[in-house]
Amino acid sequence: MLVSLHIKNYVIIDELMLDFESGMTVISGETGAGKSIIMDALELAVGKRAETHVIKQGETRCEITALFDVSNNPKAQNWLIEHDLVLEEHEKKECIIRRSITLDGRSKNTINGLIFPAQKTRELAQYLVDIHGQHEHQSLLKPDTHRAQLDAFGEHTDHCEQVLKYYKTCQSLQRELQALSSHLSQNQVARRTLLHYQLDELTQAELLAGEAEQLYHEHKKLSEVDTWLQQAQTIQQLLNGDDETSLHRLLQSTQHCLPKDSHEEWHNLRVILNTMLMQCQEAEGEVKHLLTSTESDPERLQVVEKRLQQLHALARKHHTTMEELPALQQQLQAELDRFEQGEEKKALLTQQYNEALIHYHQAAKQLSEHRQHAALQLGENITEWLHQLGLPHAKFNVQVDSSENIRATGYDKVEYYIVTNPSQPPRPLIKIASGGELS
């Protein structure tokens, strides 16, 4: 409901503030009093094309502000909510539309303080104002209104809600499919092919965590075995060889030099020499064990070197280290799994979309059948009313054209047709009805 209208510097008006109460308001006056100017100003506020000649002579700017109460207007409230124009509780009850025009031709439209193009203002205005005059802002001339009126007449609310429900489901699933398909684009397919190739190569290599470090140690040991054996043999010869200078024989000779009698002064030395001889014998045992347990294995060394070469080549190819190859394999596998899951999700979404589409067509077909039936009844009723209003030759038709295009409102395009002259065929209401007939 229009609550107030403020007009400033418009045509011949300096400034005017009009407040409206609930119920009917009549603005009367002689020809030229300015009634049409007030209506034109309201039309300008709700999106009519602006021209600079409407600015009052001598002024540089005009402004029209319209305040609407939308507390009982759910369509207007929904529009404001969808466009983020309801922030406070009280804003759910009112809508302020302001239009300003300057001499340089610039025009500014605001809705609840935010700038919007005139097209958006006109879009909102269809829920706020309906001028029953000479065609502009007349919902009676809009096919969407014809359809809504037919559905209200036929009490199709439940059927319309079913169609809208399945339409929204189809649209949502379609958006998900498009987003997923975009992700699984041609470039992504190429990436997936590369992942398969890389993983096959890494899988065949039978990578093991920690293998590279283990191979390094084994290679070092195998490559040094011959040196170790030579060194052990040398140590064995020094400890207890045939030479009289071996450590074992030198210690024995040293012991023989000790006094045979147990003199206390020599006790510590005797213990030390005995200990040294025992340790020398233990060292001989360790060397012997090392010589018997260590063998040269050139074949195993060759296997280890070949494996290290394989791992090194893979690491170089994938721009990583040998130690990181197992982790890389897991990373590539995880990426491939995401692709595979994407394909599975795409198949599931496609199935869900097809099912929703079937439900949509079923609901839309039922709604179309109900509309066809209601259109005949509504046409007959309005024709009878037109006759009672003094149009004896008038005939009113509600034309329902159906196609299986997916729309939020179903298959049908509904439009009013009328005959006012018996010699003429039915034509669209918007093309032939006069202003008085529309009113």
Side-chain angles (χ1 to χ4, degrees), residues 146-250:
H146 302 175
R147 185 193 63 251
Q149 291 174 345
L150 176 62
D151 287 334
F153 173 79
E155 298 180 349
H156 302 150
T157 301
D158 291 343
H159 294 289
C160 291
E161 288 178 353
Q162 281 290 99
V163 169
L164 180 60
K165 169 187 171 183
Y166 291 123
Y167 171 80
K168 288 182 176 179
T169 301
C170 288
Q171 292 296 102
S172 176
L173 290 169
Q174 191 173 48
R175 284 193 294 270
E176 285 192 69
L177 276 169
Q178 288 174 347
L180 193 57
S181 297
S182 176
H183 178 67
L184 300 174
S185 62
Q186 186 62 39
N187 291 336
Q188 300 294 340
V189 171
R191 173 61 179 167
R192 185 172 48 178
T193 301
L194 176 61
L195 285 173
H196 274 293
Y197 171 77
Q198 291 176 324
L199 281 169
D200 286 343
E201 187 176 46
L202 293 174
T203 301
Q204 290 176 5
E206 298 180 348
L207 301 173
L208 297 173
E211 180 186 14
E213 183 178 0
Q214 181 181 344
L215 288 172
Y216 275 132
H217 290 305
E218 186 176 3
H219 181 269
K220 179 177 176 64
K221 179 180 177 180
L222 290 171
S223 61
E224 294 178 352
V225 164
D226 290 339
T227 302
W228 289 358
L229 290 174
Q230 291 177 0
Q231 291 171 338
Q233 289 171 354
T234 302
I235 292 172
Q236 185 183 45
Q237 187 68 28
L238 290 172
L239 287 173
N240 193 10
D242 295 334
D243 193 344
E244 291 293 331
T245 61
S246 69
L247 181 58
H248 186 93
R249 292 195 178 187
L250 288 174

Side-chain angles (χ1 to χ4, degrees), residues 257-269:
C257 294
L258 294 174
K260 294 181 180 181
D261 296 331
S262 298
H263 297 283
E264 184 175 349
E265 292 80 0
W266 294 87
H267 175 73
N268 289 340
L269 180 58

Side-chain angles (χ1 to χ4, degrees), residues 292-333:
T292 56
S293 62
T294 303
E295 294 183 3
S296 177
D297 193 347
E299 292 182 358
R300 176 57 185 170
L301 178 61
Q302 187 176 5
V303 170
V304 171
E305 288 179 342
K306 185 176 180 180
R307 178 62 170 174
L308 284 171
Q309 290 171 0
Q310 180 188 16
L311 295 180
H312 178 73
L314 283 173
R316 183 177 180 182
K317 185 175 183 179
H318 292 278
H319 306 287
T320 187
T321 64
M322 289 190 290
E323 292 80 4
E324 294 296 325
L325 282 174
L328 175 64
Q329 183 180 8
Q330 292 180 354
Q331 177 184 336
L332 296 179
Q333 185 64 56

Side-chain angles (χ1 to χ4, degrees), residues 46-106:
V46 295
K48 182 180 178 180
R49 183 177 177 181
E51 297 181 1
T52 57
H53 71 267
V54 300
I55 302 174
K56 188 176 183 297
Q57 186 70 27
E59 301 294 339
T60 59
R61 171 192 178 95
C62 75
E63 184 174 281
I64 300 98
T65 303
L67 171 62
F68 293 91
D69 180 357
V70 296
S71 57
N72 295 315
N73 190 337
K75 290 185 178 180
Q77 288 183 358
N78 289 337
W79 193 96
L80 293 172
I81 292 171
E82 289 174 0
H83 292 80
D84 297 326
L85 290 170
V86 175
L87 300 179
E88 303 292 342
E89 187 65 26
H90 71 86
E91 293 179 335
K92 293 183 179 180
K93 300 180 180 180
E94 63 181 35
C95 171
I96 302 174
I97 297 179
R98 181 174 288 111
R99 182 79 175 274
S100 62
I101 304 165
T102 57
L103 277 178
D104 58 8
R106 288 184 297 178

